[in-house]
Amino acid sequence: MANNKAAPSGGSILVVGGGISGLTTTLEAAEVGYEVFLIEKNPYLGGRVSQLKQYFPKLCPPTCGLEINFRRLKDNPNINVFTMAEVEKVEGTPGNYNVSIKLKPRYVNENCTCCGECASACKTEILNEFNFNMDKHKGAYLPHEMAFPSRYVISPQIIGSEDARLCKDACKYDAVDLDMSEKTIQISVGAIVWATGWEPYDAGKIDNLGFGKYKNIITNMMLERLASDNGLTKGKILRPSDDKEPQSIAFVQCAGSRDENHLPYCSYICCMASLKHATYIRAQYPDAKIYIFYIDLRTPGYRYEKFYKKIKEDKNTFFVKGKVAEVMEESGSGNITVVAENAVTGEKIRQTVDMAVLATGMQPTALDSKLPADLNYNEDGFIINDFEKGGMFAAGCANKTADVVSSNQNATGMALKAIQTLVRR
Ligand SMILES: Cc1cc2nc3c(=O)[nH]c(=O)nc-3n(C[C@H](O)[C@H](O)[C@H](O)COP(=O)(O)OP(=O)(O)OC[C@H]3O[C@@H](n4cnc5c(N)ncnc54)[C@H](O)[C@@H]3O)c2cc1C
Ligand code: SF4
Ligand code: SF4
C-alpha cells in the first residue's frame, strides 16, 4: 500500500505483537493514513524471524526483510511503538475499545548510543533467552546485534544491586535511569489485531527424544541460533558438548507434532526448516552426512517442492521414512543414536550421529497465556477470527501455523479488516 496521508482516519488501531505479522499489519494500516499503536512484550521488534539465520525459500538473512520494515516504521508519524508492553485489559465493543497497557521499565532512555560501557562494567551474567539459554549475557545488554529499537536494557535481576550502580556510573550519556518503574497507560482504539505469534513446542515434554537429558540433542530453533552470525558461536555449527565440528547430524521430523499427546496438528514449516538446515550444514561441512527421519515430508507449493528436490540431489543427505522411537546418547562419546523403524522396508534402524536436531513445531503463544480480551480459540489455542462480530482479529501464527509469506498475506488482510471496522463505525 502506498503512503497516503489523506485517507480517512476514523479512529486508531492497536496491533499486539511486533513480529513479522504485527509489523505488516501496522505498516499496511499506517501507510494509508490510520493511526496505529504497536505493542510488543520483548524489548525489541521482529519476533521469531529475528532469531533465524536465513529464511527459506530465498535464503536471505532476516535483516533484509526486517530492516526495510523498521525504516518504514521510523519514517511514519502515524505509528506509536511501545516495547516491553502488554495488554492488561480490553473493554468496549467493535469501533470503540478502551485498552489498558502495562509498560515494563527498560531502565535505559533514548540517550543510549549502544556504546556498551554499561555491559562492560556489569559483573552479573544471566541466561540469554534470545539464544535459548545456550549462553549468557550481562545484566546490561542489547538483546541482539540488530535489535530495533537499538537500545540497551538493564535486567530487573540486577536492579537494586551494586551492579546496577556500576552500570549507571559507566554511562557517559545519562542514559541509565534506575528510577524508571512499571506504568499503565490507557488508549482508545476502534479495532485490535492480535499478532501474538508462536512459541517453540517444549521438547522436554517428549520423553523418548532425549531433549534436556543429552546436550547433543538440540531443537531446530537452537540450530538457527548456532548457525546465525550473531549467535553464540558466531555462526559456526558446533556440537554443544565439546565444540566438535559435527560430521553427521540427524533430524527428527514431527518432533511432538501430529501427535495427540503433544501438538495434534502439522506445524507447516518444520519440514522446510530442516531442508533449509541441511543447506546451513552443507555450507560449512561439505562432506557431513545428514539423515532426515520423517513420517511425511510436507513442502507445499511449487517453490518449496523445488527446494526439496534440490536438497534430494545431495548425495550425503539421506531421507529415511520412519517414525523415530527413541533418541539417546552413547555413553562416553557424546554421540547420539536415533532408533526408528523404516516404513518402507520394515527394518529397525539404529543410526549413530554426532548430534541430533528435533524439528519441533509451533504452539500458539496464547495457549499458555490467554489474552485479556473476549476472543475465541480453537482446541489447539489458535485464535479464531469471528468476522461477523468483527473489531478484533488474529493475524499470522496467532491464527494458524504459517511461514513468513503466508503470515504477511494474512496480516495484510487483517489490516484491511481492522480498517473496515473503523470505516463502518
Ligand atoms: C525452526 C523454524 C525455522 C523457520 N524458518 C522459516 C523460514 O526460513 N522461512 C519462513 O517463511 N518461515 C520460517 N519459520 C516460520 C516463521 O518463524 C513464522 O512464519 C513467523 O515467525 C510468524 O510471524 P508472527 O509475527 O506471526 O509470529 P512471531 O514471530 O511469533 O511474532 C509474535 C510477536 O508477538 C509478541 N507477543 C506475543 N505475545 C504478546 C503479548 N501478549 N503482548 C505483546 N507482544 C506479544 C512476541 O514477543 C513476538 O515478537 C520458521 C519456523 C521455525 C520453527
Ligand atoms: S546505556 Fe549508556 S553505557 Fe549503556 S550502551 Fe547505552 S549509552 Fe552506552
Ligand atoms: S511440517 Fe513436516 S515435520 Fe512439521 S509437523 Fe508437518 S509433516 Fe511434521
Side-chain angles (χ1 to χ4, degrees):
M1 289 184 191
N3 198 355
N4 177 3
K5 298 273 163 54
S9 174
S12 309
I13 297 167
L14 168 65
V15 176
V16 185
I20 196 73
S21 305
L23 287 169
T24 302
T25 301
T26 299
L27 290 164
E28 296 295 9
E31 289 181 355
V32 289
Y34 290 89
E35 181 181 40
V36 182
F37 295 90
L38 171 62
I39 70 159
E40 164 58 52
K41 70 176 176 183
N42 283 330
Y44 59 90
L45 301 180
R48 296 284 168 198
V49 166
S50 55
Q51 290 176 297
L52 307 178
K53 173 185 167 62
Q54 291 171 336
Y55 1 11
F56 57 71
K58 279 199 188 162
L59 299 184
C60 37
T63 42
C64 59
L66 288 174
E67 282 204 340
I68 295 165
N69 284 337
F70 296 154
R71 204 166 322 129
R72 287 164 71 194
L73 206 78
K74 266 202 275 192
D75 291 345
N76 197 310
N78 294 332
I79 302 173
N80 308 284
V81 179
F82 296 96
T83 49
M84 306 185 74
E86 277 184 70
V87 173
E88 219 166 33
K89 194 160 60 171
V90 176
E91 285 171 327
T93 49
N96 192 12
Y97 293 110
N98 289 316
V99 186
S100 311
I101 296 167
K102 189 170 72 188
L103 303 176
K104 287 195 185 145
R106 180 187 277 264
Y107 302 107
V108 174
N109 63 31
E110 53 287 350
N111 292 346
C112 179
T113 61
C114 285
C115 70
E117 291 296 328
C118 51
S120 305
C122 180
K123 296 196 181 75
T124 309
E125 291 199 324
I126 53 181
L127 286 171
N128 185 350
E129 280 181 32
F130 192 76
N131 287 341
F132 297 99
N133 299 342
M134 288 186 284
D135 63 349
K136 289 184 172 180
H137 59 58
K138 292 291 190 72
Y141 65 101
L142 189 64
H144 63 97
E145 243 170 49
M146 305 305 293
F148 179 88
S150 84
R151 197 188 302 174
Y152 270 60
V153 187
I154 308 260
S155 165
Q157 288 184 39
I158 67 161
I159 293 301
S161 73
E162 169 68 5
D163 246 358
R165 196 192 52 75
L166 289 175
C167 293
K168 185 165 175 58
D169 291 349
C171 183
K172 295 188 204 95
Y173 303 94
D174 203 19
V176 175
D177 179 355
L178 299 175
D179 295 329
M180 277 184 187
S181 57
E182 194 169 288
K183 48 181 186 191
T184 303
I185 57 164
Q186 310 288 336
I187 58 168
S188 298
V189 294
I192 305 176
V193 176
W194 300 91
T196 45
W198 62 279
E199 314 235 306
Y201 184 68
D202 178 1
K205 289 183 183 167
I206 321 165
D207 288 340
N208 54 327
L209 301 187
F211 181 82
K213 277 190 234 149
Y214 310 117
K215 271 190 156 178
N216 296 330
I217 302 173
I218 63 169
T219 67
N220 48 10
M221 281 304 283
M222 289 164 84
L223 184 64
E224 292 285 353
R225 295 311 306 144
L226 274 180
S228 292
D229 294 342
N230 67 356
L232 60 155
T233 52
K234 301 273 174 269
K236 188 92 182 144
I237 300 169
L238 297 172
R239 182 162 103 147
S241 70
D242 53 7
D243 287 346
K244 177 184 166 182
E245 297 189 349
Q247 286 310 313
S248 54
I249 299 189
F251 287 86
V252 178
Q253 297 309 114
C254 299
S257 295
R258 304 170 69 204
D259 180 337
E260 289 303 325
N261 297 316
H262 300 284
L263 302 178
Y265 49 87
C266 168
S267 284
Y268 189 83
I269 45 73
C270 18
C271 281
M272 276 302 290
S274 294
L275 296 173
K276 175 181 70 167
H277 292 161
T279 70
Y280 294 177
I281 294 160
R282 189 55 72 236
Q284 293 187 21
Y285 305 114
D287 300 318
K289 303 258 187 296
I290 300 168
Y291 301 88
I292 300 182
F293 290 86
Y294 69 97
I295 307 173
D296 302 293
L297 273 176
R298 296 191 170 168
T299 53
Y302 171 73
R303 290 184 86 182
Y304 290 177
E305 187 66 14
K306 213 167 121 191
F307 195 97
Y308 164 48
K309 287 209 170 116
K310 189 138 189 264
I311 309 292
K312 244 172 101 177
E313 284 165 14
D314 183 327
K315 300 240 169 348
N316 276 329
T317 299
F318 307 95
F319 290 88
V320 186
K321 186 172 171 69
K323 192 166 168 59
V324 170
E326 200 178 354
V327 186
M328 62 204 161
E329 189 183 78
E330 296 296 320
S331 66
S333 64
N335 291 344
I336 299 297
T337 295
V338 177
V339 181
E341 186 179 301
N342 188 316
V344 180
T345 62
E347 73 184 306
K348 195 164 179 188
I349 308 162
R350 290 177 66 91
Q351 184 66 54
T352 299
V353 287
D354 287 337
M355 62 189 277
V357 180
L358 308 182
T360 45
M362 300 199 254
Q363 174 181 302
T365 306
L367 181 69
D368 286 338
S369 40
K370 285 276 175 292
L371 299 163
D374 182 19
L375 295 162
N376 292 327
Y377 300 87
N378 72 11
E379 61 209 3
D380 303 316
F382 292 98
I383 303 168
I384 299 170
N385 273 321
D386 182 347
F387 295 120
E388 287 271 295
K389 188 166 149 206
M392 292 200 272
F393 310 95
C397 289
N399 175 243
K400 59 175 194 239
T401 56
D403 56 1
V404 169
V405 172
S406 325
S407 294
N408 281 342
Q409 285 165 348
N410 178 266
T412 304
M414 293 315 123
L416 197 58
K417 283 284 172 198
I419 291 170
Q420 283 171 353
T421 308
L422 305 188
V423 172
R424 282 191 197 137
R425 217 153 52 112

